[in-house]
Amino acid sequence: MTDQTQNAPRFGGMNTAAVAPWVIAAAFLLVMPFIFTSNSAITIMNQMSITIIFALSYNMLLGQGGMLSFGHAVYMGVGGFFCVHIMNMVEDGGLPLPLPLLPLFGGLFGLGLATIVGAFSTRKAGTVFAMISLGVGELIAACSVIVVAFFGGEEGVSGDRTYGLPVFGVEFLQQIEVYYLIAFWLMLSALLMYLFSRTPVGRMANAVRDNPERAEFLGYSARWVRFYSFCAAGFFAGIAGGLFAINYEILTEENLNLTQSGAILLITFLGGIGFFFGPILGAIVFTLLQTVLSLQTELWQLYLGALFVATVMYFPGGLAGLLMMHAPALRSGRAGRLVLPYIKTLGPALIGVLALAGLIEMTFHLRHASLGDHHMTLFWVDLDSHSLVPWLVFAAIMAAGFAVMRRNLPELLSAWHSANATGDRS
Amino acid sequence: MTAMMQGGAVAALEMQGLRKSFGRTEIIRGIDLSIAKGERHAVIGPNGAGKSTLFNLITARFAPTAGRVALHGQDLAGMSPFQINRLGLSRSFQITNIFPKMTVFENVRCSLLWSMGYRYSFWHMVGNSRALTEGAEAILEQINLTARRDLPAGVLSYAEQRALEIGITIAGGADVIMLDEPTAGMSHSETDYIVDLIGKVTQDKTLVMVEHDMGVVFGLADRISVLVYGEIIATGRPDEVRGNPKVQEAYLGAALEAEH
Ligand SMILES: Nc1ncnc2c1ncn2[C@@H]1O[C@H](COP(=O)(O)OP(=O)(O)OP(=O)(O)O)[C@@H](O)[C@H]1O
Ligand SMILES: [Mg+2]
């Protein structure tokens, strides 16, 4: 599933090694609702799946095509808005469209918009493309408060998925039914996006990303190659929009504004743009942070921002790049040497980071809690944010954690070198 | 008489009154040259004479200030590099111009796609085409990079990247091949190998190449043009050019001496 292993299946399509991840993923999606049965867990998983499709579609631009877009939410949003309107037409009895097909129409509307915008925005990559994407994003977000009939103004538009024709008796009243509908579209979209990257135009997207000039001397117009990727990305973003409409039954301006476009860039980059599965990781981690962490702290966006900055600065390959860094050691069977050094550095580092987060939380409490409210709970401990003791304790833990990490870091580095050393391979 | 009608056949490449200025300096100062189909033509000249610029004009990397270029009699004015490539002209670059993040195999396979008719297809799987895979592997074998197949092209040594540059250029099977200093920076044995390869793959094709190594030039070329200060001061068979006093004065004497 990576850029590097694309040559594994030589003839006759996908071999077992290429099919295995898909089968595992499908099985995983099937059993997840049996492991996490609560309604809120299913809600989180639905959101995750939609975000995965959206992030994968974004990476068709950024990772595979080298196009940095600041306005990709527009295609998901517009696809979603259209789907809510279609849902309402179904409800009004005019349209006999089964609900499971709705995302396809979201995709087609995303594709339609991408065809129009791509016609002028893909002429150049780089800054020009980025600026146009930003402008178009701003323009359509502005339209959403102007064209109230379509976008519903500030309240957005809402619909009801349950009024459609029942499909084999399923009326999509329950979250779990929606879950499987989304899971189906997730598998289908991810597979199609993966296969797209294996087609001539998908391969040339990488070539154009690397060196557009050389691609032109091989017979390909860099612009047309970008255009095709752009349209495909718009299509799959539209599918994500359609699923969003089904899942939430409402779309607002927030679904297509620049914040949303920024978020998908962040998610994709966090997961890693160099590997197909990178955006999937990014979407999973982001959704967990957004849903689980946001219940714990109001400051979750601060931590997310810090994580993003750290990724850009220290791990430009993202989570996927970080994982794939270990592939050589795993292949040579020497990854085991890394386990203990990792525990000895990352353990204390994690404790240090948590203690730092504790200090930040206390600062926030000190500044923002109502007057006289000195009581707060941090890591299941009740404490008084106005007394000196917890501050000293957290500061000491943080200092100790980072100090131990620093002391053990050389050991990790030498273990890394020994695990990745070539030459002495027997 | 123009070379249009040489031997009754249309010239593979024909330049008329070609000029190029960068700002106020004129780099190419009026070039008329006709290269026949199947000819192996070398362009030589001192550094900065404008050889690469001439290549860039022919392949539409730059637009000429004046004059025209025709490929098999077809005027190339206003065309893009990709359109010219589709007409059967392929070129290499003096400064290596490859896809550094893609594997060596991918580099070659991408250079085969258009010529094998895949165009902008999004309904074929490249991994499924036996012809494509075997074609790319054959090229890798020819340029001695089979062992490097799955490495990112960017990590290859300089000489290996030069070989890949040539591989990418010849992969599509264009019938006019233009090579800008293909052997620059290669060792003697590598040069011998590549020259041999160029000779083989350009059999029955038109070859235009810029080359500083006089041994290579006189061994490979049917005709030579000497470019000095943006003008061709002589064109002819190797022995004619070698004996031309103007050439010896301007360039070749010094270069031939340097060879020994
Ligand atoms: N894009 C450009 N803008 C401005 N000047 C240029 C440009 N390209 C080339 N030149 C100038 O044109 C002249 C000829 O350059 P060119 O690269 O064609 O020479 P060359 O004959 O290929 O030399 P070499 O043997 O060193 O490769 C040089 O003086 C160079 O500085
Ligand atoms: Mg040059």
Side-chain angles (χ1 to χ4, degrees):
Chain A
M1 282 176 71
T2 70
D3 258 11
Q4 269 78 29
T5 58
Q6 60 218 2
N7 302 318
R10 296 282 163 77
F11 302 119
M14 294 172 113
N15 59 20
T16 22
V19 171
W22 298 99
V23 176
I24 294 169
F28 201 71
L29 283 173
L30 272 178
V31 301
M32 279 303 268
F34 295 99
I35 303 169
F36 300 98
T37 48
S38 75
N39 249 339
S40 60
I42 290 176
T43 305
I44 292 175
M45 289 189 288
N46 285 353
Q47 189 176 337
M48 213 178 260
S49 302
I50 295 169
T51 311
I52 290 174
I53 299 177
F54 189 27
L56 282 173
S57 83
Y58 186 72
N59 206 38
M60 294 180 99
L61 296 178
L62 183 60
Q64 310 206 33
M67 287 173 271
L68 175 61
S69 167
F70 291 116
H72 196 52
V74 158
Y75 305 95
M76 172 166 171
V78 167
F81 272 104
F82 270 108
C83 283
V84 177
H85 286 297
I86 294 177
M87 230 146 69
N88 287 332
M89 284 188 232
V90 173
E91 184 183 342
D92 298 341
L95 206 67
L97 179 77
L99 190 75
L101 287 183
L102 191 57
L104 176 65
F105 290 86
L108 291 177
F109 285 110
L111 172 67
L113 182 62
T115 311
I116 297 167
V117 176
F120 59 86
S121 73
T122 54
R123 216 166 289 182
K124 290 262 180 328
T127 317
V128 179
F129 175 85
M131 289 302 145
I132 294 177
S133 73
L134 190 64
V136 171
E138 186 65 71
L139 189 130
I140 293 185
C143 281
S144 66
V145 278
I146 300 167
V147 192
V148 179
F150 182 76
F151 293 103
E154 298 208 334
E155 303 95 75
V157 290
S158 47
D160 189 333
R161 63 176 178 245
T162 60
Y163 281 96
L165 305 170
V167 181
F168 303 117
V170 178
E171 287 184 73
F172 298 99
L173 287 162
Q174 296 171 9
Q175 275 289 73
I176 187 73
E177 292 162 348
V178 176
Y179 171 87
Y180 282 112
L181 172 66
I182 293 176
F184 166 78
W185 277 99
L186 168 60
M187 279 309 292
L188 183 66
S189 311
L191 189 63
L192 287 176
M193 283 188 263
Y194 177 72
L195 291 178
F196 181 86
S197 73
R198 296 283 159 276
T199 62
V201 74
R203 298 284 76 213
M204 285 314 292
N206 285 4
V208 166
R209 170 200 70 195
D210 272 18
N211 189 346
E213 179 178 55
R214 189 50 150 146
E216 297 239 325
F217 285 96
L218 297 175
Y220 279 89
S221 153
R223 179 200 177 167
W224 279 104
V225 171
R226 284 192 208 103
F227 176 75
Y228 281 107
S229 298
F230 192 83
C231 290
F235 176 71
F236 289 106
I239 289 182
L243 293 170
F244 189 97
I246 292 174
N247 192 41
Y248 293 97
E249 301 175 300
I250 179 167
L251 267 108
T252 66
E253 186 261 350
E254 274 178 32
N255 295 115
L256 47 67
N257 64 16
L258 295 183
T259 313
Q260 190 67 11
S261 294
I264 202 61
L265 161 61
L266 196 145
I267 291 167
T268 309
F269 204 92
L270 188 68
I273 62 171
F275 298 93
F276 182 79
F277 69 92
I280 301 179
L281 288 184
I284 292 172
V285 169
F286 177 87
T287 312
L288 285 177
L289 286 177
Q290 189 187 27
T291 51
V292 179
L293 193 65
S294 69
L295 291 180
Q296 307 300 320
T297 165
E298 285 175 67
L299 296 179
W300 70 276
Q301 281 171 313
L302 177 82
Y303 302 121
L304 187 70
L307 185 62
F308 181 62
V309 173
T311 308
V312 173
M313 287 176 65
Y314 302 109
F315 315 106
L319 298 170
L322 216 53
L323 285 180
M324 293 309 286
M325 256 167 60
H326 298 82
L330 279 172
R331 241 177 275 133
S332 65
R334 283 182 290 203
R337 294 180 201 181
L338 291 171
V339 176
L340 197 60
Y342 262 144
I343 294 174
K344 282 164 82 174
T345 48
L346 295 186
L350 181 67
I351 291 172
V353 167
L354 288 177
L356 175 62
L359 290 174
I360 294 171
E361 292 292 328
M362 281 194 287
T363 312
F364 183 70
H365 190 262
L366 201 61
R367 305 279 306 168
H368 293 275
S370 51
L371 210 61
D373 178 12
H374 292 189
H375 173 262
M376 68 184 291
T377 306
L378 257 184
F379 306 119
W380 305 279
V381 181
D382 291 327
L383 45 82
D384 177 356
S385 63
H386 284 64
S387 112
L388 196 57
V389 183
W391 288 85
L392 290 177
V393 171
F394 273 100
I397 294 176
M398 180 183 81
F402 287 139
V404 175
M405 178 202 73
R406 268 194 89 109
R407 207 202 56 206
N408 291 341
L409 203 55
E411 192 185 329
L412 174 63
L413 290 179
S414 73
W416 179 261
H417 286 305
S418 100
N420 286 288
T422 47
D424 62 324
R425 201 171 290 178
S426 48
Chain B
M1 182 203 108
T2 71
M4 262 309 189
M5 299 305 295
Q6 245 181 20
V10 178
L13 263 180
E14 166 120 30
M15 287 146 254
Q16 279 172 0
L18 208 54
R19 288 174 184 275
K20 179 68 183 176
S21 306
F22 291 113
R24 252 189 258 138
T25 33
E26 191 166 52
I27 300 296
I28 296 294
R29 306 189 298 162
I31 286 189
D32 298 283
L33 179 64
S34 172
I35 296 168
K37 206 173 258 178
E39 177 179 337
R40 290 185 181 141
H41 196 101
V43 179
I44 64 173
N47 289 108
K51 305 180 293 294
S52 298
T53 306
L54 179 62
F55 265 42
N56 291 337
L57 292 180
I58 296 171
T59 58
R61 199 186 196 193
F62 299 155
T65 316
R68 58 180 282 271
V69 182
L71 176 69
H72 301 307
Q74 184 169 358
D75 195 344
L76 299 183
M79 284 197 189
S80 306
F82 62 87
Q83 292 168 315
I84 295 174
N85 178 274
R86 290 172 197 172
L87 294 176
L89 184 150
S90 179
R91 69 164 292 186
S92 76
F93 292 80
Q94 182 175 0
I95 297 163
T96 305
N97 205 345
I98 55 178
F99 305 106
K101 282 194 259 170
M102 301 193 330
T103 65
V104 174
F105 175 78
E106 277 287 312
N107 268 267
V108 176
R109 187 164 66 180
C110 280
S111 2
L112 280 168
L113 285 173
W114 190 275
S115 62
M116 291 189 65
Y118 284 103
R119 305 168 66 92
Y120 299 104
S121 158
F122 48 85
W123 53 91
H124 290 95
M125 295 288 120
V126 286
N128 286 354
S129 165
R130 210 187 187 98
L132 200 51
T133 308
E134 283 174 355
E137 280 170 349
I139 296 281
L140 286 182
E141 199 62 48
Q142 282 187 319
I143 55 175
N144 271 345
L145 288 180
T146 303
R148 296 276 187 261
R149 189 184 194 278
D150 295 323
L151 286 180
V155 308
L156 297 185
S157 74
Y158 177 77
E160 287 171 332
Q161 291 193 2
R162 292 304 297 165
L164 181 59
E165 175 80 40
I166 295 169
I168 292 176
T169 307
I170 61 175
D175 48 35
V176 178
I177 306 253
M178 299 180 64
L179 303 174
D180 195 348
E181 305 204 15
T183 67
M186 286 188 174
S187 73
H188 265 298
S189 60
E190 285 161 346
T191 300
D192 289 346
Y193 182 81
I194 287 295
V195 169
D196 194 47
L197 175 67
I198 292 172
K200 262 191 267 170
V201 298
T202 56
Q203 208 90 59
D204 310 320
K205 291 186 177 176
T206 311
L207 171 71
V208 188
M209 91 173 168
V210 173
E211 183 56 65
H212 277 301
D213 186 323
M214 287 307 136
V216 173
V217 170
F218 285 105
L220 211 55
D222 302 321
R223 288 205 309 154
I224 298 175
S225 289
V226 184
L227 188 68
V228 178
Y229 265 125
E231 282 176 316
I232 291 180
I233 59 166
T235 297
R237 288 195 314 278
D239 52 316
E240 289 169 0
V241 168
R242 202 198 292 262
N244 186 322
K246 244 177 26 183
V247 174
Q248 294 200 329
E249 187 192 331
Y251 171 64
L252 206 54
L256 279 177
E257 264 160 42
E259 278 283 292
H260 299 296

